[in-house]
Amino acid sequence: TIQVVSDTDLPAGITLTVELAQPTGATSAGPVTLSTTAQNAVTGISTLAETGLGITYTLSATAAAGPLPAQDVIVTLTII
């Protein structure tokens, strides 16, 4: 299993998702909305080693978010 978590919640109206490509035999959860609670992004990983698998981040905002200052977000991926 690969879990994803961010170090901070984003302001209202802002959403950051991450989607991990799954290795052979595993299952991707699809786009996962990042928060300070760890969530499964890929499950069913075996000991098989693969390279070149993609990670896609998507940031979206509603008009209600308004102008915001730049903000760093640390995303941690953990293999468990």
Side-chain angles (χ1 to χ4, degrees):
T1 299
I2 300 175
Q3 291 190 333
V4 294
V5 64
S6 64
D7 67 328
T8 186
D9 286 320
L10 294 171
I14 304 290
T15 303
L16 179 61
T17 63
V18 62
E19 183 172 5
L20 280 64
Q22 74 271 7
T24 303
T27 302
S28 172
V32 175
T33 300
L34 289 167
S35 71
T36 55
T37 301
Q39 301 171 75
N40 292 343
V42 178
T43 57
I45 297 173
S46 68
T47 56
L48 176 70
E50 283 189 52
T51 62
L53 300 175
I55 300 174
T56 303
Y57 292 94
T58 304
L59 180 69
S60 58
T62 65
L68 297 167
Q71 177 180 350
D72 292 331
V73 177
I74 297 171
V75 177
T76 303
L77 287 71
T78 305
I79 299 172
I80 57 171

